[in-house]
Amino acid sequence: MEDYQEQQKTLVNGEQPSEATSYEQQTTAVDAEKVIIDDSAEITDVSEPDALEAEAIATDEKERKNSIKKVTRQHLSKNASIPVEQFDWDTLENDDLYEGNKTEIAEQYNQTLSKIAENEIVEGTVVAITKREVIVNIGYKSEGVIGIAEFRYNPDLKVGDKVEVYVETTEDKRGQLILSHKQARALRSWDRVNEALANDEIIKGYIKCRTKGGMIVDVFGIEAFLPGSQIDVKPIRDYDMFVDKTMEFKVVKINPEFRNVVISHKALIEAEIEAQKKEIISHLEKGQVLEGTVKNITSYGVFIDLGGVDGLIHITDLSWGRVTHPEEVVTLDEKVNVVILDFDNDKKRIALGIKQLTPHPWDSLDANLKVGDKVKGKVVVMADYGAFIEISLGVEGLIHVSEMSWSQHLRSAQDFMKVGDEVEAVILTIDRDERKMSLGIKQLKDDPWINIEAKYAIGSKHVAKVRNFTNFGIFVEIEEGVDGLIHISDLSWTKKIKHPAEFTQIGAMIDVQVLEIDKENRRLSLGHKQLEENPWDVFESLFTVESIHEGTITEMSDKGALISLSYGVEGFAPAKGLKKQDGTMAKVEERLPFKVTEFAKAAKKIIVSHTRVFEDEQKDAEIKEKASNESTTKDAIKKVQSSIEKTTLGDVEALAALRDEMENQGK
């Protein structure tokens, strides 16, 4: 408002008004000039003229006023500007200036003004623009002043542009018309946004600030969201460069429920770019070399701008050597030469390559390299099944895990080397046509099985490391590449071992003796108990059948019990052999006498019985008693026979008595 007042002062000081200056502004200038004239008159009146001079002055003043009235009336009737010194304000205020029709003329003037009501939206014309304000004429008796901040979305605003404004009040306490362009936009914004979406209209918006994932844009007074992916066809790395800029957009999505608006600048240029893509792709040929700019770098490849169309260089096509990430080869915005490998007219995809611009390293590989030669290289890739060794840029060989050690144990390649290690290897196979090479490092050492009979002869004794357990034995390693098996039956002469874990543990060292050599399967048969004398040769003479030994019951089952005998020997007692003399069954931990009923040296088996101990004693007692009775009977019979020769009648009676006595004894 202050700038507007300064402009009016300039008009008062005598400068010619611009074409955009209204009649009210001219009137204000004339009014200001009147003030200056009146001040001059007061200064003139300070002097004291005589009577003649006073009369002459009065006459001249009357004639001057009449002249001014005449000129003023003529100019007012023509709505034309008049010099300030010729304008008579008293005449303007009197009805005679309008020849008695002041009211009628005022009514006619009011009819020329627009009928403006408060709280409505009207269209106005920009008549002046200052650094801080925009002056808008809506056809009312005064212009409205609007802060220029409400037009910051439109930096191209100029005098003469039509704008919509909201009439807040037709006259405030200072007589000023109050307008708002921002409020007018807000009231009309939702309808205009929907119209823009329906008509696919291009609109302008002011980018206010950035937010997560995009920008906030002022569109018709509504805060619309501009996603980062919709700013341009190429990725934008610096969003801040767009803040405070006015750009063109298209409305792409509206959520009426939440009154959300999504806009896009990318949509404006996609159609043009698609046409460019078709034109460029129509001239492409496989094998064609072009220059492009690195547009974007991802973990799987590089996007190249070929001047309106993008192509992809896959990470495997960047270099003949191994590439962990494309950033090792190219940088953003770098100019590079690429060759077209393939393209798809329908999907607009173009496959590019850089490594194809140089000869394949296998073509320049030393022609004298052959199987058996030693080479040096660097480990570039590790896998469980092996390691890839780069012996020169783009030339790699695979060392399978089975070629890393003569040992047959299942192991991972990471147990032998890691990425970055410098290794020496032997060429096992080489195929220049397929560009493949297999290597080995175990071949740098002699195969331990070549002279196995001499080094590990049958009967020789060694120390081995326990590698693994099975239910039937223990796998051990005497040295790298030389493995053997100790069967569970060859662990101890005397103990019955159910599982090797009862005897030793993985990683422990154990003394072994070579029993057999299986060179074809690269396996030794080993024994541990063979290192000691076979005690069963001695047990054969100690645990004879029918011999009795003290033993302790260590384990019970339905079939019988294990009996711990002397010298660390175990025997087995069937269930029927565990019955005691009092009729009860023997229990675990009970120590009893046992009789050997069976001894099998080859099977290392001793069968014993406790019941047989007292049963055999009873049988022996019965046999002895029976034998004693038979001897007594024989003696009596002999005595009778010897007395028969002397028998008389009296003797017969004595013989009968003797017979009865013998019968009683027999009973």
Side-chain angles (χ1 to χ4, degrees):
M1 187 66 187
E2 293 176 358
D3 291 344
Y4 181 58
Q5 291 173 350
E6 290 177 1
Q7 184 179 10
Q8 298 292 56
K9 288 181 181 180
T10 303
L11 295 175
V12 170
N13 290 334
E15 295 181 1
Q16 292 297 325
S18 64
E19 294 180 1
T21 305
S22 67
Y23 171 74
E24 287 80 355
Q25 291 172 324
Q26 297 172 13
T27 304
T28 304
V30 174
D31 191 20
E33 190 66 28
K34 176 178 177 298
V35 175
I36 298 174
I37 294 173
D38 291 344
D39 290 344
S40 300
E42 290 176 2
I43 296 172
T44 304
D45 292 339
V46 175
S47 62
E48 298 180 359
D50 54 18
L52 293 175
E53 290 178 351
E55 184 179 357
I57 290 172
T59 302
D60 293 341
E61 182 66 21
K62 185 177 181 181
E63 293 178 355
R64 186 179 69 80
K65 287 183 177 181
N66 290 334
S67 176
I68 290 175
K69 287 180 180 180
K70 183 178 180 181
V71 173
T72 301
R73 190 178 292 109
Q74 291 176 351
H75 283 75
L76 288 175
S77 64
K78 297 179 180 179
N79 195 25
S81 300
I82 59 176
V84 176
E85 64 273 8
Q86 298 180 10
F87 191 86
D88 181 41
W89 290 94
D90 295 333
T91 302
L92 179 64
E93 295 175 357
N94 297 329
D95 290 340
D96 58 349
L97 178 64
Y98 304 96
E99 298 178 352
N101 296 320
K102 181 177 180 181
T103 303
E104 182 180 351
I105 293 174
E107 182 65 26
Q108 292 177 358
Y109 170 72
N110 289 333
Q111 291 179 0
T112 63
L113 301 176
S114 300
K115 294 182 179 180
I116 304 299
E118 294 183 357
N119 302 324
E120 70 174 9
I121 298 174
V122 298
E123 186 178 68
T125 304
V126 177
V127 296
I129 301 175
T130 68
K131 292 181 179 180
R132 292 183 292 178
E133 298 161 341
V134 176
I135 314 302
V136 179
N137 180 14
I138 61 172
Y140 198 57
K141 57 186 176 181
S142 64
E143 286 87 0
V145 181
I146 303 174
I148 198 168
E150 296 188 24
F151 295 91
R152 64 180 179 178
Y153 73 93
N154 185 10
D156 299 327
L157 184 70
K158 60 185 181 299
V159 174
D161 285 354
K162 300 292 185 180
V163 295
E164 288 185 337
V165 294
Y166 176 79
V167 181
E168 294 185 356
T169 179
T170 55
E171 189 173 347
D172 64 0
K173 61 182 180 180
R174 294 182 296 178
Q176 179 66 49
L177 172 65
I178 305 300
L179 306 176
S180 172
H181 178 62
K182 179 179 180 181
Q183 193 166 353
R185 291 179 71 219
L187 293 174
R188 291 283 180 87
S189 58
W190 192 247
D191 294 336
R192 296 198 60 183
V193 165
N194 282 276
E195 290 175 3
L197 177 62
N199 301 327
D200 198 26
E201 180 184 349
I202 298 175
I203 60 176
K204 286 186 177 182
Y206 171 75
I207 300 177
K208 298 174 63 176
C209 61
R210 65 172 298 176
T211 186
K212 183 179 181 180
M215 316 288 288
I216 299 298
V217 182
D218 183 349
V219 176
F220 303 134
I222 294 177
E223 288 190 347
F225 177 62
L226 173 63
S229 61
Q230 296 298 316
I231 297 177
D232 204 340
V233 291
K234 59 183 180 180
I236 302 300
R237 293 186 288 274
D238 182 14
Y239 287 0
D240 292 333
M241 64 184 292
F242 293 95
V243 177
D244 291 332
K245 285 188 177 182
T246 299
M247 299 173 62
E248 292 183 337
F249 304 98
K250 275 190 176 182
V251 180
V252 295
K253 185 177 180 181
I254 294 178
N255 187 331
E257 181 179 357
F258 298 100
R259 300 182 74 86
N260 292 337
V261 180
V262 180
I263 59 177
S264 171
H265 178 70
K266 176 182 177 181
L268 299 177
I269 54 180
E270 279 183 334
E272 181 180 350
I273 291 177
E274 285 299 319
Q276 290 180 355
K277 285 184 178 180
K278 291 181 180 179
E279 178 66 20
I280 293 174
I281 292 179
S282 65
H283 294 88
L284 294 181
E285 295 179 2
K286 291 183 180 180
Q288 186 178 3
V289 178
L290 302 172
E291 184 183 59
T293 304
V294 177
K295 181 179 180 180
N296 190 24
I297 299 176
T298 67
S299 60
Y300 57 85
V302 179
F303 287 94
I304 304 296
D305 184 359
L306 299 176
V309 63
D310 294 343
L312 172 65
I313 306 176
H314 194 269
I315 188 172
T316 57
D317 291 316
L318 286 171
S319 173
W320 292 114
R322 292 274 179 173
V323 178
T324 304
H325 195 280
E327 290 179 345
E328 300 173 6
V329 182
V330 296
T331 57
L332 282 174
D333 301 325
E334 180 185 357
K335 298 287 185 181
V336 293
N337 290 327
V338 295
V339 60
I340 298 176
L341 304 180
D342 196 5
F343 58 89
D344 186 339
N345 287 322
D346 296 331
K347 297 182 179 180
K348 309 296 187 298
R349 294 178 179 175
I350 304 174
L352 306 174
I354 290 181
K355 72 179 185 181
Q356 289 80 4
L357 297 174
T358 58
H360 199 289
W362 271 87
D363 297 335
S364 57
L365 186 65
D366 187 356
N368 296 322
L369 277 179
K370 60 185 183 300
V371 174
D373 287 349
K374 295 180 180 179
V375 293
K376 290 183 178 181
K378 183 179 180 180
V379 179
V380 291
V381 175
M382 291 295 303
D384 289 339
Y385 58 85
F388 288 92
I389 311 300
E390 187 178 60
I391 61 176
S392 64
L393 183 63
V395 178
E396 296 178 1
L398 172 65
I399 304 179
H400 194 270
V401 66
S402 62
E403 302 299 338
M404 293 182 178
S405 171
W406 290 110
S407 175
Q408 293 182 318
H409 299 298
L410 294 177
R411 299 167 72 180
S412 173
Q414 284 83 354
D415 295 336
F416 298 93
M417 58 189 67
K418 61 182 184 297
V419 173
D421 286 352
E422 297 286 344
V423 297
E424 184 179 27
V426 176
I427 298 177
L428 304 180
T429 63
I430 182 169
D431 188 339
R432 296 180 183 271
D433 295 332
E434 294 292 330
R435 293 169 177 168
K436 293 182 179 179
M437 182 187 304
S438 61
L439 307 173
I441 58 174
K442 73 180 184 181
Q443 289 77 9
L444 298 173
K445 301 177 182 179
D446 293 334
D447 186 354
W449 281 87
I450 294 177
N451 298 317
I452 193 70
E453 295 89 348
K455 191 172 184 180
Y456 299 102
I458 294 176
S460 59
K461 300 176 181 180
H462 308 277
V463 178
K465 184 176 182 180
V466 178
R467 305 290 300 185
N468 195 18
F469 289 152
T470 66
N471 291 331
F472 55 84
I474 302 174
F475 287 100
V476 298
E477 184 181 58
I478 300 179
E479 67 169 274
E480 184 177 339
V482 180
D483 298 332
L485 171 66
I486 307 175
H487 195 272
I488 194 170
S489 62
D490 291 319
L491 290 174
S492 174
W493 288 111
T494 57
K495 293 183 180 180
K496 289 189 177 294
I497 299 173
K498 295 181 179 180
H499 192 275
E502 301 173 7
F503 188 82
T504 185
Q505 59 186 3
I506 294 176
M509 305 304 293
I510 185 172
D511 294 327
V512 296
Q513 180 176 321
V514 179
L515 304 180
E516 295 180 11
I517 299 176
D518 186 354
K519 192 170 183 179
E520 182 179 353
N521 294 318
R522 303 172 72 91
R523 184 64 57 85
L524 298 176
S525 178
L526 306 173
H528 174 71
K529 70 181 184 180
Q530 287 78 5
L531 298 173
E532 301 174 355
E533 184 180 355
N534 187 355
W536 286 89
D537 295 335
V538 179
F539 296 158
E540 186 176 16
S541 59
L542 292 176
F543 297 95
T544 58
V545 176
E546 298 297 328
S547 60
I548 298 175
H549 305 272
E550 289 288 327
T552 303
I553 300 174
T554 58
E555 188 176 337
M556 295 283 289
S557 67
D558 294 339
K559 294 182 179 181
L562 291 178
I563 311 300
S564 176
L565 303 173
S566 55
Y567 307 106
V569 180
E570 284 187 345
F572 178 75
K576 64 181 181 179
L578 296 174
K579 186 176 181 180
K580 296 193 292 185
Q581 192 170 3
D582 59 2
T584 60
M585 297 297 293
K587 299 179 181 179
V588 176
E589 301 291 337
E590 196 169 356
R591 188 170 180 82
L592 300 169
F594 290 89
K595 177 176 285 189
V596 177
T597 60
E598 182 182 347
F599 182 88
K601 178 180 177 182
K604 301 179 181 60
K605 181 171 65 174
I606 302 176
I607 305 299
V608 297
S609 173
H610 169 67
T611 305
R612 286 282 303 274
V613 173
F614 62 84
E615 285 182 347
D616 288 349
E617 289 179 354
Q618 289 178 355
K619 287 181 180 180
D620 290 343
E622 290 176 357
I623 292 172
K624 290 179 180 179
E625 182 179 356
K626 185 176 181 181
S628 176
N629 292 336
E630 290 178 353
S631 177
T632 303
T633 302
K634 289 179 180 180
D635 292 342
I637 291 172
K638 287 180 179 181
K639 183 177 180 181
V640 170
Q641 289 176 349
S642 62
S643 62
I644 288 176
E645 297 176 357
K646 303 174 181 181
T647 298
T648 61
L649 181 59
D651 293 334
V652 171
E653 293 178 356
L655 182 61
L658 178 62
R659 184 181 63 188
D660 293 338
E661 181 180 357
M662 290 179 63
E663 288 178 355
N664 292 332
Q665 290 180 355
K667 293 179 180 180

